[in-house]
Short mmCIF file of all heavy atoms in Angstrom, two decimals:
data_model
loop_
_atom_site.label_atom_id
_atom_site.label_comp_id
_atom_site.label_asym_id
_atom_site.label_seq_id
_atom_site.Cartn_x
_atom_site.Cartn_y
_atom_site.Cartn_z
N MET D 1 -42.11 55.13 3.58
CA MET D 1 -43.34 55.72 3.75
C MET D 1 -44.08 55.94 2.41
O MET D 1 -43.42 56.28 1.48
CB MET D 1 -43.06 57.08 4.47
CG MET D 1 -44.08 58.20 4.19
SD MET D 1 -43.74 59.76 4.96
CE MET D 1 -42.60 60.45 3.81
N ILE D 2 -45.33 55.57 2.38
CA ILE D 2 -46.12 55.74 1.22
C ILE D 2 -46.47 57.27 1.02
O ILE D 2 -47.05 57.80 1.95
CB ILE D 2 -47.41 54.94 1.21
CG1 ILE D 2 -47.04 53.37 1.29
CG2 ILE D 2 -48.25 55.18 -0.01
CD1 ILE D 2 -46.32 52.83 0.11
N VAL D 3 -46.20 57.71 -0.09
CA VAL D 3 -46.49 59.19 -0.34
C VAL D 3 -47.65 59.33 -1.27
O VAL D 3 -48.53 60.16 -0.89
CB VAL D 3 -45.22 59.89 -1.06
CG1 VAL D 3 -45.57 61.32 -1.46
CG2 VAL D 3 -44.01 59.70 -0.31
N CYS D 4 -47.80 58.54 -2.27
CA CYS D 4 -48.96 58.50 -3.09
C CYS D 4 -49.87 57.33 -2.85
O CYS D 4 -49.47 56.11 -3.24
CB CYS D 4 -48.48 58.49 -4.65
SG CYS D 4 -49.95 58.48 -5.75
N ILE D 5 -50.84 57.50 -2.07
CA ILE D 5 -51.80 56.33 -1.64
C ILE D 5 -52.48 55.80 -2.85
O ILE D 5 -52.64 54.60 -2.96
CB ILE D 5 -52.69 56.78 -0.59
CG1 ILE D 5 -51.96 57.19 0.74
CG2 ILE D 5 -53.78 55.77 -0.30
CD1 ILE D 5 -52.68 57.76 1.80
N CYS D 6 -52.90 56.62 -3.81
CA CYS D 6 -53.64 56.11 -4.98
C CYS D 6 -52.84 55.10 -5.72
O CYS D 6 -53.40 54.07 -6.26
CB CYS D 6 -53.96 57.28 -5.90
SG CYS D 6 -55.22 58.48 -5.12
N LYS D 7 -51.53 55.37 -5.91
CA LYS D 7 -50.68 54.47 -6.65
C LYS D 7 -49.77 53.69 -5.88
O LYS D 7 -48.97 52.76 -6.46
CB LYS D 7 -49.86 55.26 -7.72
CG LYS D 7 -50.74 56.11 -8.66
CD LYS D 7 -51.41 55.14 -9.72
CE LYS D 7 -52.17 55.90 -10.69
NZ LYS D 7 -52.89 55.07 -11.64
N GLY D 8 -49.75 53.81 -4.59
CA GLY D 8 -48.81 53.05 -3.70
C GLY D 8 -47.35 53.37 -3.88
O GLY D 8 -46.53 52.46 -3.77
N ILE D 9 -47.01 54.62 -4.21
CA ILE D 9 -45.70 55.00 -4.38
C ILE D 9 -44.99 55.56 -3.08
O ILE D 9 -45.52 56.34 -2.42
CB ILE D 9 -45.59 56.15 -5.50
CG1 ILE D 9 -46.38 55.72 -6.74
CG2 ILE D 9 -44.15 56.62 -5.73
CD1 ILE D 9 -45.76 54.55 -7.45
N SER D 10 -43.82 54.96 -2.88
CA SER D 10 -43.10 55.34 -1.63
C SER D 10 -42.09 56.42 -1.87
O SER D 10 -41.70 56.76 -2.95
CB SER D 10 -42.42 54.06 -1.04
OG SER D 10 -41.34 53.81 -1.88
N ASP D 11 -41.58 56.99 -0.76
CA ASP D 11 -40.57 57.99 -0.78
C ASP D 11 -39.22 57.40 -1.37
O ASP D 11 -38.51 58.03 -2.03
CB ASP D 11 -40.25 58.61 0.55
CG ASP D 11 -39.87 57.55 1.62
OD1 ASP D 11 -40.34 56.40 1.58
OD2 ASP D 11 -39.11 57.91 2.53
N LYS D 12 -39.07 56.04 -1.13
CA LYS D 12 -37.89 55.34 -1.71
C LYS D 12 -37.93 55.28 -3.22
O LYS D 12 -36.95 55.48 -3.89
CB LYS D 12 -37.82 53.95 -1.10
CG LYS D 12 -37.49 53.91 0.28
CD LYS D 12 -37.45 52.55 0.82
CE LYS D 12 -37.18 52.53 2.37
NZ LYS D 12 -37.17 51.21 2.95
N THR D 13 -39.11 55.22 -3.74
CA THR D 13 -39.29 55.15 -5.27
C THR D 13 -38.95 56.57 -5.84
O THR D 13 -38.26 56.69 -6.86
CB THR D 13 -40.79 54.77 -5.69
OG1 THR D 13 -41.00 53.37 -5.22
CG2 THR D 13 -40.93 54.80 -7.13
N ILE D 14 -39.40 57.60 -5.16
CA ILE D 14 -39.14 58.92 -5.59
C ILE D 14 -37.65 59.23 -5.44
O ILE D 14 -37.07 59.83 -6.40
CB ILE D 14 -39.99 59.97 -4.79
CG1 ILE D 14 -41.50 59.65 -5.15
CG2 ILE D 14 -39.60 61.34 -5.19
CD1 ILE D 14 -42.49 60.39 -4.23
N ARG D 15 -36.98 58.78 -4.42
CA ARG D 15 -35.58 58.97 -4.27
C ARG D 15 -34.83 58.31 -5.38
O ARG D 15 -33.90 58.87 -6.04
CB ARG D 15 -35.10 58.42 -2.91
CG ARG D 15 -33.55 58.59 -2.76
CD ARG D 15 -33.02 57.92 -1.54
NE ARG D 15 -33.59 58.41 -0.31
CZ ARG D 15 -32.96 59.32 0.50
NH1 ARG D 15 -31.80 59.84 0.17
NH2 ARG D 15 -33.52 59.74 1.56
N PHE D 16 -35.27 57.06 -5.72
CA PHE D 16 -34.60 56.34 -6.83
C PHE D 16 -34.81 57.05 -8.13
O PHE D 16 -33.75 57.14 -8.89
CB PHE D 16 -35.21 54.98 -6.91
CG PHE D 16 -34.71 54.14 -8.11
CD1 PHE D 16 -33.56 53.50 -8.01
CD2 PHE D 16 -35.46 54.09 -9.28
CE1 PHE D 16 -33.07 52.73 -9.08
CE2 PHE D 16 -35.05 53.34 -10.36
CZ PHE D 16 -33.83 52.65 -10.28
N LEU D 17 -35.91 57.52 -8.40
CA LEU D 17 -36.14 58.29 -9.63
C LEU D 17 -35.34 59.49 -9.75
O LEU D 17 -34.76 59.82 -10.85
CB LEU D 17 -37.69 58.59 -9.80
CG LEU D 17 -38.60 57.33 -10.01
CD1 LEU D 17 -40.09 57.82 -9.95
CD2 LEU D 17 -38.25 56.60 -11.32
N VAL D 18 -35.26 60.24 -8.68
CA VAL D 18 -34.42 61.50 -8.67
C VAL D 18 -32.96 61.13 -8.90
O VAL D 18 -32.23 61.79 -9.67
CB VAL D 18 -34.53 62.27 -7.38
CG1 VAL D 18 -33.57 63.36 -7.27
CG2 VAL D 18 -36.06 62.86 -7.34
N GLN D 19 -32.45 60.05 -8.20
CA GLN D 19 -31.12 59.63 -8.34
C GLN D 19 -30.78 59.15 -9.81
O GLN D 19 -29.70 59.14 -10.27
CB GLN D 19 -30.74 58.50 -7.43
CG GLN D 19 -30.65 58.97 -5.91
CD GLN D 19 -30.57 57.81 -4.93
OE1 GLN D 19 -30.96 56.68 -5.25
NE2 GLN D 19 -30.13 58.08 -3.80
N ASN D 20 -31.86 58.72 -10.50
CA ASN D 20 -31.68 58.32 -11.87
C ASN D 20 -32.24 59.28 -12.98
O ASN D 20 -32.68 58.89 -14.05
CB ASN D 20 -32.33 56.94 -12.01
CG ASN D 20 -31.56 55.88 -11.29
OD1 ASN D 20 -30.59 55.45 -11.80
ND2 ASN D 20 -31.92 55.56 -10.05
N GLY D 21 -32.23 60.60 -12.62
CA GLY D 21 -32.49 61.64 -13.62
C GLY D 21 -33.80 62.35 -13.54
O GLY D 21 -33.96 63.29 -14.23
N ALA D 22 -34.77 61.99 -12.66
CA ALA D 22 -36.01 62.74 -12.56
C ALA D 22 -35.63 64.17 -12.03
O ALA D 22 -34.95 64.18 -10.93
CB ALA D 22 -37.08 62.02 -11.79
N LYS D 23 -36.08 65.25 -12.60
CA LYS D 23 -35.76 66.54 -12.13
C LYS D 23 -36.96 67.36 -11.67
O LYS D 23 -36.83 68.39 -10.98
CB LYS D 23 -35.04 67.33 -13.27
CG LYS D 23 -33.72 66.80 -13.65
CD LYS D 23 -33.19 67.56 -14.84
CE LYS D 23 -31.78 67.16 -15.17
NZ LYS D 23 -31.49 65.71 -15.34
N CYS D 24 -38.15 66.93 -11.91
CA CYS D 24 -39.33 67.63 -11.62
C CYS D 24 -40.48 66.71 -11.37
O CYS D 24 -40.41 65.53 -11.64
CB CYS D 24 -39.69 68.66 -12.69
SG CYS D 24 -40.07 67.92 -14.28
N LEU D 25 -41.60 67.28 -10.90
CA LEU D 25 -42.81 66.45 -10.71
C LEU D 25 -43.30 65.78 -11.97
O LEU D 25 -43.71 64.57 -11.93
CB LEU D 25 -44.03 67.44 -10.09
CG LEU D 25 -45.26 66.67 -9.80
CD1 LEU D 25 -45.15 65.68 -8.79
CD2 LEU D 25 -46.30 67.79 -9.37
N ARG D 26 -43.29 66.41 -13.00
CA ARG D 26 -43.70 65.78 -14.29
C ARG D 26 -42.84 64.51 -14.57
O ARG D 26 -43.40 63.51 -14.99
CB ARG D 26 -43.61 66.78 -15.42
CG ARG D 26 -44.06 66.17 -16.73
CD ARG D 26 -44.90 67.20 -17.53
NE ARG D 26 -45.38 66.72 -18.75
CZ ARG D 26 -46.43 65.88 -18.86
NH1 ARG D 26 -47.24 65.73 -17.91
NH2 ARG D 26 -46.80 65.53 -20.13
N ASP D 27 -41.57 64.60 -14.36
CA ASP D 27 -40.70 63.46 -14.63
C ASP D 27 -41.14 62.30 -13.78
O ASP D 27 -41.20 61.14 -14.30
CB ASP D 27 -39.22 63.72 -14.36
CG ASP D 27 -38.55 64.77 -15.30
OD1 ASP D 27 -39.16 64.98 -16.41
OD2 ASP D 27 -37.51 65.32 -14.91
N VAL D 28 -41.44 62.49 -12.47
CA VAL D 28 -41.81 61.48 -11.62
C VAL D 28 -43.13 60.88 -11.94
O VAL D 28 -43.38 59.75 -12.01
CB VAL D 28 -41.80 61.97 -10.20
CG1 VAL D 28 -42.47 60.90 -9.20
CG2 VAL D 28 -40.34 62.31 -9.67
N MET D 29 -44.12 61.78 -12.32
CA MET D 29 -45.39 61.36 -12.76
C MET D 29 -45.37 60.43 -13.99
O MET D 29 -46.03 59.48 -14.07
CB MET D 29 -46.35 62.65 -13.09
CG MET D 29 -46.71 63.41 -11.86
SD MET D 29 -47.54 64.94 -12.32
CE MET D 29 -49.16 64.30 -12.80
N VAL D 30 -44.47 60.78 -14.92
CA VAL D 30 -44.42 60.01 -16.13
C VAL D 30 -43.79 58.66 -15.83
O VAL D 30 -44.28 57.61 -16.41
CB VAL D 30 -43.54 60.72 -17.21
CG1 VAL D 30 -43.04 59.82 -18.34
CG2 VAL D 30 -44.32 61.99 -17.77
N LYS D 31 -42.76 58.51 -14.93
CA LYS D 31 -42.14 57.34 -14.68
C LYS D 31 -42.91 56.37 -13.76
O LYS D 31 -42.80 55.14 -13.87
CB LYS D 31 -40.74 57.54 -14.09
CG LYS D 31 -39.93 58.26 -15.18
CD LYS D 31 -38.46 58.50 -14.66
CE LYS D 31 -37.77 59.30 -15.65
NZ LYS D 31 -36.68 58.61 -16.26
N CYS D 32 -43.69 56.94 -12.80
CA CYS D 32 -44.32 56.03 -11.82
C CYS D 32 -45.80 56.36 -11.56
O CYS D 32 -46.48 55.68 -10.79
CB CYS D 32 -43.56 55.93 -10.59
SG CYS D 32 -43.66 57.51 -9.51
N ASN D 33 -46.31 57.38 -12.17
CA ASN D 33 -47.75 57.80 -12.07
C ASN D 33 -48.11 58.45 -10.66
O ASN D 33 -49.28 58.56 -10.42
CB ASN D 33 -48.69 56.70 -12.39
CG ASN D 33 -48.66 56.33 -13.76
OD1 ASN D 33 -48.59 57.17 -14.65
ND2 ASN D 33 -48.73 55.02 -14.13
N ALA D 34 -47.04 58.69 -9.86
CA ALA D 34 -47.35 59.42 -8.56
C ALA D 34 -48.06 60.73 -8.90
O ALA D 34 -47.74 61.43 -9.90
CB ALA D 34 -46.10 59.60 -7.78
N ALA D 35 -48.98 61.01 -8.05
CA ALA D 35 -49.76 62.35 -8.14
C ALA D 35 -50.63 62.50 -9.44
O ALA D 35 -50.99 63.53 -9.76
CB ALA D 35 -48.84 63.52 -8.06
N SER D 36 -50.90 61.30 -10.05
CA SER D 36 -51.52 61.41 -11.35
C SER D 36 -53.12 61.10 -11.19
O SER D 36 -53.79 61.30 -12.10
CB SER D 36 -50.92 60.48 -12.32
OG SER D 36 -51.15 59.14 -11.96
N ASP D 37 -53.50 60.61 -10.06
CA ASP D 37 -54.94 60.39 -9.81
C ASP D 37 -55.59 61.61 -9.20
O ASP D 37 -56.03 62.46 -9.84
CB ASP D 37 -55.13 59.15 -9.02
CG ASP D 37 -55.20 57.83 -9.87
OD1 ASP D 37 -55.19 57.97 -11.13
OD2 ASP D 37 -55.26 56.80 -9.30
N CYS D 38 -55.66 61.65 -7.83
CA CYS D 38 -56.28 62.71 -7.24
C CYS D 38 -55.42 63.93 -7.05
O CYS D 38 -56.04 65.02 -6.88
CB CYS D 38 -56.80 62.23 -5.85
SG CYS D 38 -55.64 62.11 -4.49
N GLY D 39 -54.17 63.78 -7.10
CA GLY D 39 -53.23 64.90 -6.95
C GLY D 39 -53.00 65.47 -5.66
O GLY D 39 -52.26 66.39 -5.45
N SER D 40 -53.58 64.91 -4.58
CA SER D 40 -53.46 65.43 -3.29
C SER D 40 -52.03 65.31 -2.70
O SER D 40 -51.58 66.06 -1.73
CB SER D 40 -54.39 64.77 -2.29
OG SER D 40 -54.05 63.43 -2.06
N CYS D 41 -51.21 64.45 -3.23
CA CYS D 41 -49.86 64.24 -2.85
C CYS D 41 -48.88 65.03 -3.62
O CYS D 41 -47.66 64.97 -3.39
CB CYS D 41 -49.51 62.72 -2.90
SG CYS D 41 -49.52 62.12 -4.64
N ALA D 42 -49.28 65.81 -4.62
CA ALA D 42 -48.40 66.47 -5.51
C ALA D 42 -47.43 67.41 -4.77
O ALA D 42 -46.17 67.38 -5.05
CB ALA D 42 -49.19 67.24 -6.55
N CYS D 43 -47.87 68.13 -3.84
CA CYS D 43 -46.97 69.08 -3.01
C CYS D 43 -45.96 68.19 -2.30
O CYS D 43 -44.73 68.61 -2.16
CB CYS D 43 -47.77 69.92 -2.09
SG CYS D 43 -48.68 71.19 -2.92
N ASP D 44 -46.36 67.04 -1.63
CA ASP D 44 -45.34 66.22 -0.96
C ASP D 44 -44.38 65.61 -1.89
O ASP D 44 -43.16 65.47 -1.56
CB ASP D 44 -46.15 65.12 -0.17
CG ASP D 44 -47.04 65.65 0.95
OD1 ASP D 44 -46.69 66.63 1.49
OD2 ASP D 44 -48.05 65.04 1.25
N VAL D 45 -44.86 65.15 -2.97
CA VAL D 45 -43.84 64.59 -3.98
C VAL D 45 -42.86 65.67 -4.46
O VAL D 45 -41.66 65.35 -4.50
CB VAL D 45 -44.70 63.97 -5.26
CG1 VAL D 45 -43.71 63.56 -6.28
CG2 VAL D 45 -45.49 62.78 -4.80
N LYS D 46 -43.35 66.77 -4.76
CA LYS D 46 -42.45 67.86 -5.18
C LYS D 46 -41.50 68.16 -4.07
O LYS D 46 -40.27 68.40 -4.34
CB LYS D 46 -43.24 69.11 -5.54
CG LYS D 46 -42.38 70.35 -5.79
CD LYS D 46 -42.58 70.99 -7.12
CE LYS D 46 -41.85 72.11 -7.36
NZ LYS D 46 -40.44 72.17 -6.99
N ALA D 47 -41.96 68.24 -2.82
CA ALA D 47 -41.01 68.51 -1.70
C ALA D 47 -39.95 67.51 -1.60
O ALA D 47 -38.79 67.77 -1.39
CB ALA D 47 -41.85 68.60 -0.39
N LEU D 48 -40.29 66.25 -1.82
CA LEU D 48 -39.32 65.19 -1.80
C LEU D 48 -38.35 65.26 -3.02
O LEU D 48 -37.15 65.03 -2.75
CB LEU D 48 -39.99 63.71 -1.76
CG LEU D 48 -40.68 63.32 -0.47
CD1 LEU D 48 -41.45 62.08 -0.69
CD2 LEU D 48 -39.57 63.25 0.59
N ILE D 49 -38.82 65.60 -4.07
CA ILE D 49 -37.97 65.76 -5.24
C ILE D 49 -36.91 66.82 -4.99
O ILE D 49 -35.74 66.69 -5.17
CB ILE D 49 -38.68 66.10 -6.51
CG1 ILE D 49 -39.58 64.96 -6.97
CG2 ILE D 49 -37.74 66.56 -7.64
CD1 ILE D 49 -40.65 65.35 -7.94
N ASP D 50 -37.35 68.02 -4.42
CA ASP D 50 -36.44 69.09 -4.11
C ASP D 50 -35.42 68.60 -3.04
O ASP D 50 -34.25 68.97 -3.10
CB ASP D 50 -37.26 70.31 -3.61
CG ASP D 50 -38.05 70.89 -4.68
OD1 ASP D 50 -37.80 70.62 -5.97
OD2 ASP D 50 -39.06 71.72 -4.42
N LYS D 51 -35.91 67.90 -1.98
CA LYS D 51 -35.03 67.43 -0.96
C LYS D 51 -33.95 66.56 -1.54
O LYS D 51 -32.74 66.70 -1.20
CB LYS D 51 -35.81 66.69 0.09
CG LYS D 51 -35.06 66.04 1.24
CD LYS D 51 -35.96 65.23 2.12
CE LYS D 51 -35.04 64.44 3.12
NZ LYS D 51 -35.90 63.64 3.95
N TYR D 52 -34.35 65.54 -2.25
CA TYR D 52 -33.41 64.63 -2.90
C TYR D 52 -32.39 65.18 -3.87
O TYR D 52 -31.26 64.87 -3.94
CB TYR D 52 -34.15 63.41 -3.47
CG TYR D 52 -34.89 62.60 -2.42
CD1 TYR D 52 -36.17 62.06 -2.77
CD2 TYR D 52 -34.49 62.50 -1.10
CE1 TYR D 52 -36.91 61.28 -1.84
CE2 TYR D 52 -35.19 61.79 -0.17
CZ TYR D 52 -36.47 61.21 -0.56
OH TYR D 52 -37.20 60.57 0.35
N LYS D 53 -32.87 66.17 -4.58
CA LYS D 53 -31.98 66.96 -5.52
C LYS D 53 -30.92 67.69 -4.72
O LYS D 53 -29.80 67.72 -5.09
CB LYS D 53 -32.79 67.88 -6.39
CG LYS D 53 -33.50 67.12 -7.53
CD LYS D 53 -34.43 68.06 -8.37
CE LYS D 53 -34.06 69.44 -8.64
NZ LYS D 53 -35.02 70.16 -9.44
N ALA D 54 -31.39 68.33 -3.61
CA ALA D 54 -30.49 69.07 -2.75
C ALA D 54 -29.49 68.17 -2.15
O ALA D 54 -28.28 68.57 -2.02
CB ALA D 54 -31.23 69.87 -1.71
N GLU D 55 -29.81 66.97 -1.71
CA GLU D 55 -29.01 66.09 -1.05
C GLU D 55 -27.92 65.58 -2.04
O GLU D 55 -26.77 65.49 -1.81
CB GLU D 55 -29.78 64.82 -0.55
CG GLU D 55 -30.49 65.09 0.72
CD GLU D 55 -31.36 63.86 1.18
OE1 GLU D 55 -31.26 62.75 0.48
OE2 GLU D 55 -32.03 64.01 2.12
N ALA D 56 -28.36 65.32 -3.38
CA ALA D 56 -27.47 64.94 -4.48
C ALA D 56 -26.45 66.07 -4.72
O ALA D 56 -25.31 65.75 -4.91
CB ALA D 56 -28.21 64.47 -5.64
N ALA D 57 -26.92 67.26 -4.73
CA ALA D 57 -26.07 68.37 -5.07
C ALA D 57 -24.99 68.55 -3.94
O ALA D 57 -23.77 68.83 -4.23
CB ALA D 57 -26.86 69.69 -5.22
N ALA D 58 -25.41 68.34 -2.70
CA ALA D 58 -24.43 68.51 -1.62
C ALA D 58 -23.38 67.40 -1.60
O ALA D 58 -22.22 67.60 -1.18
CB ALA D 58 -25.19 68.44 -0.34
N GLN D 59 -23.75 66.17 -2.15
CA GLN D 59 -22.79 65.08 -2.18
C GLN D 59 -21.87 65.12 -3.36
O GLN D 59 -20.84 64.46 -3.39
CB GLN D 59 -23.59 63.77 -2.11
CG GLN D 59 -24.22 63.55 -0.86
CD GLN D 59 -25.09 62.23 -0.88
OE1 GLN D 59 -25.14 61.59 -1.90
NE2 GLN D 59 -25.77 61.92 0.27
N SER D 60 -22.27 65.87 -4.43
CA SER D 60 -21.43 65.81 -5.58
C SER D 60 -20.21 66.73 -5.39
O SER D 60 -20.25 67.70 -4.66
CB SER D 60 -22.26 66.28 -6.87
OG SER D 60 -22.56 67.69 -6.60
N PRO D 61 -19.08 66.34 -5.97
CA PRO D 61 -17.85 67.07 -5.79
C PRO D 61 -17.95 68.47 -6.48
O PRO D 61 -18.66 68.64 -7.40
CB PRO D 61 -16.78 66.18 -6.43
CG PRO D 61 -17.48 65.33 -7.34
CD PRO D 61 -18.91 65.19 -6.81
N ALA D 62 -17.20 69.36 -5.95
CA ALA D 62 -17.12 70.67 -6.48
C ALA D 62 -16.46 70.60 -7.85
O ALA D 62 -15.50 69.87 -8.08
CB ALA D 62 -16.34 71.64 -5.59
N PRO D 63 -16.99 71.38 -8.84
CA PRO D 63 -16.33 71.37 -10.12
C PRO D 63 -14.94 71.95 -10.16
O PRO D 63 -14.55 72.84 -9.37
CB PRO D 63 -17.22 72.26 -11.01
CG PRO D 63 -17.99 73.08 -10.11
CD PRO D 63 -18.08 72.35 -8.74
N LEU D 64 -14.14 71.44 -10.97
CA LEU D 64 -12.74 71.92 -11.06
C LEU D 64 -12.64 73.25 -11.84
O LEU D 64 -13.29 73.25 -12.90
CB LEU D 64 -11.80 70.85 -11.75
CG LEU D 64 -11.73 69.50 -10.97
CD1 LEU D 64 -10.88 68.52 -11.84
CD2 LEU D 64 -11.03 69.64 -9.65
N THR D 65 -11.86 74.12 -11.46
CA THR D 65 -11.83 75.42 -12.11
C THR D 65 -10.35 75.70 -12.58
O THR D 65 -9.40 75.12 -12.02
CB THR D 65 -12.30 76.56 -11.26
OG1 THR D 65 -11.52 76.60 -10.05
CG2 THR D 65 -13.81 76.46 -11.01
#
């Protein structure tokens, strides 16, 4: 699904960026310019970042103590 219509950025691109180190909206904006034109998708991009970070945290193994 296209999230940022201005730049043609999909949810898959945002997932890829989060999986490869993007931690916040600014990180995604710098890497692919999503939400950098009109900004109307910024809330949706942020929500996807949070979702993908939560998914990654749930999949990572518990730390050894």
Side-chain angles (χ1 to χ4, degrees):
M1 149 183 83
I2 298 296
V3 179
C4 178
I5 294 172
C6 295
K7 298 293 185 177
I9 306 299
S10 71
D11 58 328
K12 292 178 184 178
T13 299
I14 295 167
R15 180 188 298 263
F16 174 82
L17 293 172
V18 170
Q19 289 172 339
N20 288 281
K23 293 179 175 46
C24 62
L25 179 60
R26 181 138 179 90
D27 291 344
V28 171
M29 289 174 73
V30 166
K31 293 182 187 245
C32 72
N33 291 321
S36 64
D37 273 355
C38 77
S40 66
C41 65
C43 289
D44 294 332
V45 173
K46 172 121 176 47
L48 285 173
I49 293 166
D50 293 342
K51 174 185 172 184
Y52 298 144
K53 283 174 33 180
E55 287 176 2
Q59 292 177 358
S60 64
L64 298 175
T65 56

